[in-house]
Each structure stands twice: as structure tokens, then as C-alpha cells.
Amino acid sequence: MKRFVEKVFQYKRVFGYTAAGVVAVVGILVYKKQNVVYSSWTTGYDPSVKWDYNWDRREPSSLVKPLKESATDEEKLKHEEDLKKVPTASRHLILIRHGQYHDKEKLDIDRKLTVLGREQAAFTGARLADLNYPWTKLISSTMTRARETADIIHKSLPDLPREESDLLREGAPIPPEPPIGHWRPEKHQFYSEGSRIESAFRHYFHRANSDQVNDSYEIMVCHANVIRYFTCRALQFPPEGWLRISLNHASITWITIRPNGRVGIKTLGESGFMPVDKVSVL
Ligand SMILES: *[C@@H]1O[C@H](CO)[C@@H](O)[C@H](O)[C@H]1NC(C)=O
């Protein structure tokens, strides 16, 4: 009898511990679940898209020829040395939209800046001069409104070397998602201009070469579609979302490409340095 009672107590004790254990485990799981930080649009733990470090095909491993199996010690040493030659400088690309212009004109040569557009360009030039970074060069699209904007900015930064490029001209980068009703370029425009704007991206957007000593600050005067497409591509956002972004005239979009291939944006379409009555988008 005594032994039976002992057994019951023993059983109760074990059962009790098991129940306590189950409660404890469930408790811990509930607590943990409450404390997991989910992305708001997904219940997954992993990023929906991973950063592609080799987006510019300049990861050190992809710049150096792979070693042959028959490589000599000397070749192996050189291979190791080559892999160590990594960039150290950042490249800053300062993308400026042109000022307001006469957009009802047919020919590019007649699509000049308005009086307001010239004022906007002067504000942006003054802003860049005030910021006083060691600007590297001033690049502009060859379209009249971009050239004129660059001319005015250059008055504030007269020592800056200049360049022009047809690659930066305005165009239709890729069909926007969602599509919009009132802007329907011909399909062939996306086909030809889209590839040209993508070439411009590949030409200008890449990490520094390993022999670049100082950070560089290149000012690029171009166009809203081009800048919006560049921004999406540089940040590895879906490029078809470019038309969701709006950029004011002569605004500053500042993108930084770090030596390890990471990209950041400092400002997007900044125009807060202009008086409110000088700000326009159309
Ligand atoms: C790098 O910056 C320093 C300091 O501003 C300057 O003295 C030097 O000439 C620059 N080097 C190159 C290669 O531009």
C-alpha cells in the first residue's frame, strides 16, 4: 500500500514536471514568435531580394583571371597580389535634372530653358558651390535644355572640366509598371532608347578603379526619365517602377557607389534649397 502511494506521488510529480515542461516550451515559443521582426509584406525571414555585389562586374574575383591548374608558384603569387588590388575610393554621382523649358516646341534646339528654368539652374549652381565638395567634372546630355542648365551651373563652378554625352539624352527607359494612360511612347522607342539608357547606366555606374586615390564627385546634368531609371537600377529596385518617382526641375539626386560595390542614395530630387515659388516639375 505504502509503495502504491509512493508510486502515485512519483507519477504525479513526473506528470506535473512534464506539464510544466510543455507549458514552458509553448510559452517560450509564443514569446519568441511575438518578438520576431517580420517584414511588413511577408512572413518570411529572408530578404525578398539579395543585394548583388557583382552588379557592375567589378568584384575583384571577376576582374582577375582564374588560375590554371598548371600555374607556377610565381603565377599563384601574382594571382594573390591581383586579388588584393581592391578599390578604396567612393564615386559620388550627382544627377541634376535640367531646369524648366519650353516643352511645347517641336525641335530640340527650340526647347530652351524658360526664364524660371534659368533661375532654377542658377540656384542649383549656387547650391553646389556652397556645398564645396572637390567636384571632379561636369557632364551633361547633349540636349539643349541640359546643355543650357550645365552652362549656368558652370558659372558657379568655372574651373570644373566639362564633358558631354549623347548617352544621357532623354528617352523611354522601359515600359513603366503600373502603366499610365497619358504617356504612351511607341514600343520601338522603349526598344531602342531603353538599351541606350541602359548603356549609359553601365558606362557611368560602377565602383571606382583600384588606382583611384580620392573619392570623386561627378555632376551629371540630364533628364528625369534617365535619372529615375538610373536610381532604380543603382539601388537594385525593380526598374519598371521608375515612373513612380517624381523629380523637380534642377533638383539634385545624389548616389554614392562604395568601393565594396554597395550603393546608397543621399538625396532624391532635392530642391528644398530653392524658394517655394521657384520650384516646378512641369
Ligand atoms: C587627392 O586629394 C589630395 C587632397 O585633396 C590632393 O592633394 C591630391 O592631389 C589628390 N590626388 C589625386 C590623384 O587627385
Side-chain angles (χ1 to χ4, degrees):
M1 187 66 189
K2 200 180 159 194
R3 280 188 65 171
F4 176 68
V5 171
E6 267 176 12
K7 267 239 178 282
V8 169
F9 270 101
Q10 199 180 351
Y11 181 80
K12 233 180 127 182
R13 207 163 53 231
V14 171
F15 186 77
Y17 282 135
T18 309
V22 168
V23 166
V25 166
V26 169
I28 288 167
L29 285 179
V30 167
Y31 178 79
K32 275 186 94 166
K33 205 170 158 65
Q34 278 173 348
N35 283 278
V36 168
V37 181
Y38 287 107
S39 311
S40 57
W41 68 90
T42 170
T43 49
Y45 292 86
D46 296 321
S48 59
V49 183
K50 289 268 197 194
W51 182 256
D52 173 11
Y53 276 89
N54 200 23
W55 61 278
D56 59 353
R57 303 297 186 273
R58 285 178 185 231
E59 276 286 282
S61 56
S62 72
L63 289 179
V64 173
K65 269 194 200 160
L67 263 189
K68 284 193 199 125
E69 254 179 63
S70 60
T72 62
D73 283 351
E74 202 178 330
E75 284 167 338
K76 281 182 191 158
L77 206 63
K78 183 173 183 314
H79 181 77
E80 261 180 48
E81 289 300 314
D82 285 348
L83 278 178
K84 278 188 213 150
K85 283 185 203 148
V86 293
T88 52
S90 289
R91 295 186 63 229
H92 300 272
L93 300 177
I94 294 92
L95 306 161
I96 313 283
R97 188 187 176 200
H98 56 77
Q100 191 195 54
Y101 68 108
H102 293 285
D103 63 350
K104 298 289 183 289
E105 296 291 341
K106 283 276 171 293
L107 294 175
D108 177 66
I109 190 74
D110 299 324
R111 304 180 109 199
K112 294 186 187 322
L113 295 182
T114 61
V115 173
L116 177 62
R118 302 185 69 82
E119 287 181 275
Q120 292 164 335
F123 279 120
T124 304
R127 174 66 171 183
L128 294 169
D130 283 349
L131 286 172
N132 198 27
Y133 281 91
W135 307 114
T136 309
K137 59 181 164 182
L138 176 61
I139 308 163
S140 82
S141 137
T142 47
M143 288 176 112
T144 302
R145 56 192 186 273
R147 275 183 171 151
E148 287 188 329
T149 303
D151 287 345
I152 295 169
I153 289 174
H154 199 246
K155 286 183 188 156
S156 294
L157 305 166
D159 299 331
L160 207 51
R162 289 187 64 169
E163 266 177 31
E164 284 195 339
S165 172
D166 285 331
L167 286 178
L168 295 172
R169 292 171 74 89
E170 186 60 311
I174 59 170
E177 176 58 36
I180 56 161
H182 63 272
W183 188 70
R184 286 184 190 280
E186 301 293 331
K187 286 237 160 51
H188 67 81
Q189 264 181 283
F190 284 119
Y191 187 69
S192 58
E193 293 170 4
S195 56
R196 186 260 302 162
I197 297 169
E198 173 63 20
S199 306
F201 177 77
R202 293 182 188 200
H203 183 74
Y204 289 106
F205 284 72
H206 55 80
R207 75 195 71 180
N209 290 334
S210 59
D211 59 4
Q212 181 175 328
V213 181
N214 294 330
D215 288 0
S216 54
Y217 298 83
E218 293 165 47
I219 300 169
M220 298 165 65
V221 181
C222 50
H223 305 270
N225 296 355
V226 174
I227 295 171
R228 293 183 285 184
Y229 178 77
F230 283 172
T231 300
C232 292
R233 286 283 283 114
L235 299 176
Q236 298 186 13
F237 293 161
E240 59 269 27
W242 63 274
L243 200 49
R244 302 169 204 164
I245 302 170
S246 170
L247 299 175
N248 289 335
H249 286 127
S251 62
I252 301 177
T253 296
W254 186 309
I255 292 178
T256 301
I257 306 170
R258 307 226 171 268
N260 61 6
R262 286 170 72 153
V263 179
I265 187 162
K266 210 166 142 83
T267 70
L268 176 62
E270 185 192 14
S271 60
F273 52 87
M274 290 185 207
V276 174
D277 61 345
K278 301 296 179 191
V279 173
S280 67
V281 69
L282 283 174

